[in-house]
Amino acid sequence: MAESLTEGLEGTAKTTVSLEKTAKAVGSGSLEVFATPMMVALMEKAAVNAVAAALSPGETTVGTKIEVSHIKASPVGALVEAKAKLISVEGRKLTFLVEAFDEQGKIGEGRHERVRVNIEKFLGKVSSREK
C-alpha cells in the first residue's frame, strides 16, 4: 500500500457547463443550469486527482460517501472548477473537503469519502456479483 498518502494533498478538476450537464438534461431538475449530479462528479474527480500520484501501482480509490450543498446555480457556458483537499487518512479510508466555484464564486461545498482499493481484488468481487 502507498506510504505517500498524507493529509494536505490537493487536486482540481474543471468543466464548462454545457446543455448536456444541466439539471434538465440529466433529469435532476427542470432548468438549464449546472446539475447537482454533475457538480458531485466534478468534486469526485478532483478528489481522485488529489491522490492519484500517491497510490501504489495496481491501486485506485472508489467513492463511498458524499455530503454536499449546492449553494448557487451556474448557467450554461460557465467555467466550473472543483477543488479537493485530503483532510484525513484512516487506514484505507480517505476524507476530503470539496468545493466548487464558477467565475462568480463558490457554488458548492462539502465532504467526500473514498476508499483505497486493489483494482484486481475489487473487480474480482464485483464480477462475482454479476448476474
Side-chain angles (χ1 to χ4, degrees), residues 4 21 30 33 61 74 77 85 88-89 95 102 109 125-126:
S4 55
K21 295 175 185 170
S30 60
V33 295
T61 61
S74 300
K85 182 175 183 178
S88 174
V89 179
T95 304
D102 66 14
E109 61 189 7
K125 288 179 183 177
V126 171

Side-chain angles (χ1 to χ4, degrees), residues 25-113:
V26 303
S28 65
S30 60
L31 301 177
E32 290 183 341
V33 295
F34 194 45
T36 301
M38 300 307 293
M39 182 187 75
V40 167
L42 195 66
M43 289 171 160
E44 285 200 78
K45 185 174 182 180
V48 167
N49 291 344
V51 297
L55 296 173
S56 297
E59 284 187 325
T60 192
T61 61
V62 294
T64 57
K65 183 177 183 179
I66 191 154
E67 297 176 12
V68 298
S69 296
H70 194 166
I71 54 181
K72 291 194 179 168
S74 300
V76 172
L79 176 64
V80 178
E81 179 177 24
K83 297 180 180 183
K85 182 175 183 178
L86 182 60
I87 60 166
S88 174
V89 179
E90 299 173 42
R92 296 184 315 122
K93 183 174 102 173
L94 310 173
T95 304
F96 300 84
L97 284 181
V98 290
E99 297 177 298
F101 302 85
D102 66 14
E103 295 98 330
Q104 303 301 313
K106 186 184 285 190
I107 64 163
E109 61 189 7
R111 293 171 69 91
H112 176 42
E113 292 178 5

